[in-house]
């Protein structure tokens, strides 16, 4: 509703990603977020129907003004993603401070069709299955290469499952859920409130 009625000019997955970025910035109370995406490279003709790994890592540094309104901040994030303002990571770059994000939308009804002998159309249809939501074994022995790891899977038209791996040493990360709730509420009912509003936790 927010993406469509507020003219964000982006797809639902980009709007959700932008809202999550705002929530992380608000929870951590920081104005610069170094992000790393798994970005789809399916830009060419018929590439949406190819069976191949056409995705690569891309880095995007988001900077917010201290007084920016929450909707203006969200639109800025969505616009940066929509215009692909990211950059290719350098091999020597230290990514330990970056936030890794991989959003996997549900793909149905590709525009690529072919005629069979019977005259019917067929198309590739990929359906995302529910990810493992029961945790991972031996998690206490695993090493996290980023300051936060986010995997978001669309499992239905308007339903997403977000899996996150956090470092408890990061201030504010334990409040991500509450911050996301406050961001969605403010975007819907109070879009001019500041992103870095110091009272957000009291309204969550």
């Amino acid at each position: 509703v927010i993406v469509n009625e507020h003219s964000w000019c982006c797809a639902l997955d980009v709007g959700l990603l932008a809202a999550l970025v705002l929530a992380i910035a608000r929870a951590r109370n920081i104005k610069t977020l170094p992000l790393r995406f798994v970005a789809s490279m399916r830009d060419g003709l018929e590439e949406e129907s190819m069976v191949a790994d056409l995705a690569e890592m891309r880095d995007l540094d988001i900077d917010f003004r201290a007084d920016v309104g929450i909707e203006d901040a969200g639109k800025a994030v969505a616009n940066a993603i929509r215009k692909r303002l990211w950059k290719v990571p350098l091999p020597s770059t230290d990514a330990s401070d970056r936030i890794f994000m991989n959003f996997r939308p549900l793909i149905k009804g590709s525009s690529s069709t072919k005629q069979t002998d019977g005259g019917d159309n067929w198309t590739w249809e990929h359906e995302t299955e529910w990810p493992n939501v029961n945790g991972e074994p031996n998690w206490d022995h695993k090493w996290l290469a980023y300051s936060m790891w986010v995997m978001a899977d669309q499992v239905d038209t308007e339903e997403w499952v977000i899996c996150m791996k956090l470092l408890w040493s990061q201030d504010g990360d334990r409040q991500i859920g509450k911050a996301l709730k406050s961001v969605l509420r403010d975007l819907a009912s109070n879009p001019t409130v500041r992103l870095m509003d110091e009272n957000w936790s009291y309204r969550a």
Side-chain angles (χ1 to χ4, degrees):
V1 174
I2 295 171
V3 169
N4 294 329
E5 293 187 359
H6 293 218
S7 302
W8 280 36
C9 301
C10 66
L12 177 60
D13 58 325
V14 175
L16 177 60
L17 190 154
L20 187 55
V21 168
L22 299 184
I24 296 171
R26 175 171 278 187
R28 291 186 174 183
N29 193 29
I30 55 177
K31 293 180 289 186
T32 300
L33 281 182
L35 308 175
R36 175 161 291 179
F37 296 101
V38 175
S40 174
M41 300 290 113
R42 294 178 182 268
D43 302 312
L45 181 64
E46 303 292 338
E47 284 187 352
E48 77 278 4
S49 62
M50 294 177 62
V51 181
D53 184 8
L54 300 180
E56 293 183 1
M57 299 288 192
R58 291 292 184 268
D59 288 350
L60 177 63
D61 296 324
I62 300 291
D63 294 305
F64 298 110
R65 300 192 320 272
D67 61 343
V68 68
I70 193 165
E71 183 168 57
D72 288 341
K75 287 183 176 180
V77 175
N79 186 61
I81 297 170
R82 186 169 58 88
K83 291 187 175 181
R84 295 179 171 240
L85 300 181
W86 47 58
K87 58 186 178 182
V88 178
L90 298 175
S92 59
T93 300
D94 179 13
S96 60
D97 64 332
R98 292 198 171 271
I99 299 167
F100 177 83
M101 309 185 85
N102 187 6
F103 277 62
R104 302 188 293 189
L106 192 66
I107 301 174
K108 288 186 176 181
S110 165
S111 60
S112 174
T113 60
K114 294 184 179 180
Q115 294 289 330
T116 64
D117 292 339
D120 296 329
N121 292 333
W122 61 269
T123 180
W124 287 104
E125 289 193 2
H126 168 71
E127 295 188 11
T128 304
E129 297 180 356
W130 272 76
N132 178 17
V133 295
N134 298 317
E136 298 182 25
N138 300 319
W139 171 240
D140 55 330
H141 297 294
K142 293 187 177 181
W143 176 67
L144 187 59
Y146 303 96
S147 68
M148 181 184 295
W149 182 95
V150 181
M151 179 76 75
D153 284 286
Q154 186 179 13
V155 294
D156 206 344
T157 305
E158 297 182 352
E159 186 174 3
W160 289 74
V161 174
I162 300 177
C163 298
M164 307 179 73
K165 299 176 183 177
L166 311 176
L167 295 175
W168 291 107
S169 59
Q170 284 285 347
D171 292 338
D173 281 5
R174 281 169 282 187
Q175 303 295 320
I176 290 294
K178 185 183 291 187
L180 180 58
K181 177 182 176 182
S182 75
V183 164
L184 295 176
R185 185 201 56 245
D186 287 342
L187 286 172
S189 61
N190 194 10
T192 60
V193 71
R194 288 191 307 169
L195 170 63
M196 300 302 175
D197 180 18
E198 60 184 13
N199 297 316
W200 72 265
S201 60
Y202 298 103
R203 303 195 311 272

